[in-house]
Every structure is written in structure tokens, then in C-alpha cells.
């Protein structure tokens, strides 16, 4: 039988509500209640130093426990903790792409609103390309300039930090930019 030292349970065991394993579970419950994730859809991860804490695939997000959390070493991209009988999130490549761009956490949502926004932005980009008469094939997209959701002149962004290494939060007249990372079936 596996012991805690064999399974690295110490990586997900903490009474601190802000510990990534506890926080992911609490956030997933809230996201489910808000309709941001549905059942087993979507995913969440948090990077803390060299560890990435990842919600599993196939687990109802509102029923998740810290014991369900995977822990990945960021540098080596190897799992330090793999819960038995669970699969790693299919979102993991998306999470890694976000962390490589400097993110501290990542939420992959399947909410109808997020899907609608990404479809509208994609449609807007296609219209702009048609106007420029320079259609771009899917394989020609510049990976350094992904589609981006931008919003400004709205009170809600005032609670969002300016970014790594910057003091304070965004202001009403600032622009919040959220890159949209392409999702694939595999």
C-alpha cells in the first residue's frame, strides 16, 4: 500500500485556505455555482514557485477535494503527485502555455459567456482579415500575437492587479487584455 511519502501527499496537505490545493477546490465550487464551469468541463491550475497544482479531468468541479489535485514540477514538466485512478487535466498544455507567458493561475472555462466572447473575437479577426484582403490560414497564425479579449472603461477591472512586478491595480481608463489561447481536441 502506498504511503504519504510515496504519493507526495504532503504537497497538497495544508490547513491554509490559500494553499493552492485548497484554493483550487474552493474556486471550482464557486465557478460551478456561477456557471463558469459545468460538471467535469473546464479546468483550473495555480503555479506556486516551481510547482503547478492542477485540477483533474473527469471530476465534478463542485465536488473536488485536495486529494484529487495533481502537482507538476514546472521546470522538468514531470508529475510529482498523481492521484491514483484519476487522469491529468486535458487542459494541462493550455496551462503550461499560460504559465510560460507569466501567468500565476489559469482558468479554462466552458461557460457560455466565455465561448461566446471567443467566437465573437474570432469573427471580428476574420472580418478584419477580409477587409485587408490578406486571409491568413490557421497554420500561419503568429503564436506570439494570439487573439485577445480587451476591455476598458469599466469598474470591474479596478480589482485586477497591473501585472507581475508592477504596483497597484488597473484603473477605470486602463485596458485589461486577456489572451485567448487556441484549444484543441487533443
Amino acid at each position: 500500500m502506498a504511503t504519504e511519502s510515496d504519493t507526495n501527499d504532503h504537497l497538497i496537505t495544508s490547513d491554509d485556505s490559500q494553499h493552492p490545493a485548497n484554493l483550487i477546490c474552493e474556486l471550482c465550487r464557486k465557478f460551478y455555482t456561477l456557471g463558469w464551469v459545468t460538471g467535469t468541463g473546464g479546468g483550473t491550475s495555480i503555479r506556486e514557485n516551481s510547482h503547478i497544482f492542477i485540477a483533474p479531468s473527469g471530476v465534478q468541479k463542485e465536488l473536488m477535494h485536495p486529494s484529487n489535485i495533481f502537482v507538476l514540477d514546472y521546470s522538468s514538466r514531470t508529475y510529482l503527485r498523481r492521484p491514483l485512478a484519476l487522469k491529468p487535466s486535458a487542459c494541462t498544455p493550455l496551462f503550461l502555455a499560460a504559465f510560460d507567458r507569466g501567468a500565476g493561475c489559469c482558468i479554462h472555462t466552458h461557460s457560455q459567456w466565455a465561448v461566446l466572447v471567443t467566437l465573437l473575437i474570432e469573427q471580428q479577426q476574420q472580418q478584419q482579415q477580409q477587409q485587408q484582403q490578406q486571409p491568413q490560414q490557421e497554420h500561419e497564425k503568429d503564436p506570439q500575437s494570439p487573439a485577445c479579449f480587451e476591455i476598458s472603461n469599466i469598474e470591474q477591472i479596478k480589482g485586477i492587479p497591473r501585472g507581475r512586478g508592477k504596483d497597484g491595480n488597473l484603473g477605470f481608463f486602463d485596458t485589461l487584455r486577456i489572451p485567448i489561447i487556441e484549444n484543441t481536441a487533443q
Side-chain angles (χ1 to χ4, degrees):
M1 181 168 198
T3 66
E4 184 176 314
S5 62
D6 296 334
T7 60
N8 280 329
D9 282 354
H10 68 281
L11 295 172
I12 53 94
T13 304
S14 175
D15 292 331
D16 181 1
S17 65
Q18 297 303 301
H19 183 280
N22 296 329
L23 194 55
I24 287 174
C25 297
E26 179 61 25
L27 290 171
C28 283
R29 280 188 286 280
K30 288 181 180 181
F31 296 159
Y32 175 80
T33 301
L34 293 168
W36 294 358
V37 296
T38 56
T40 63
T44 305
S45 65
I46 297 174
R47 179 177 176 189
E48 183 177 78
N49 302 317
S50 63
H51 294 150
I52 299 175
F53 296 80
I54 305 171
S57 181
V59 174
Q60 296 286 119
K61 301 304 182 246
E62 73 278 16
L63 302 177
M64 197 178 308
H65 297 282
S67 61
N68 302 136
I69 301 297
F70 285 77
V71 182
L72 187 74
D73 177 74
Y74 179 69
S75 299
S76 68
R77 306 293 213 249
T78 58
Y79 285 99
L80 302 174
R81 183 179 190 284
R82 293 179 66 106
L84 300 175
L86 293 177
K87 294 181 188 176
S89 174
C91 304
T92 300
L94 292 171
F95 297 153
L96 292 173
F99 294 132
D100 287 344
R101 290 181 167 106
C105 68
C106 188
I107 303 164
H108 180 189
T109 176
H110 289 201
S111 79
Q112 63 184 0
W113 303 113
V115 171
L116 180 60
V117 165
T118 59
L119 292 174
L120 289 172
I121 289 172
E122 183 178 89
Q123 181 182 40
Q124 181 184 36
Q125 282 186 325
Q126 288 172 351
Q127 289 172 348
Q128 289 172 348
Q129 288 171 358
Q130 287 172 353
Q131 288 173 352
Q132 296 170 356
Q133 296 183 349
Q134 296 175 355
Q136 216 176 11
Q137 298 300 319
E138 185 69 27
H139 67 277
E140 293 176 339
K141 284 186 178 177
D142 178 1
Q144 298 302 318
S145 59
C148 192
F149 170 72
E150 296 183 357
I151 190 167
S152 62
N153 300 325
I154 187 164
E155 289 291 320
Q156 286 82 347
I157 68 171
K158 290 169 51 177
I160 298 176
R162 290 192 179 275
R164 287 185 189 250
K166 299 179 182 176
D167 291 332
N169 291 351
L170 294 173
F172 179 86
F173 296 107
D174 291 325
T175 300
L176 171 64
R177 291 176 181 85
I178 302 172
I180 298 171
I181 301 169
E182 287 292 326
N183 190 14
T184 61
Q186 294 296 328

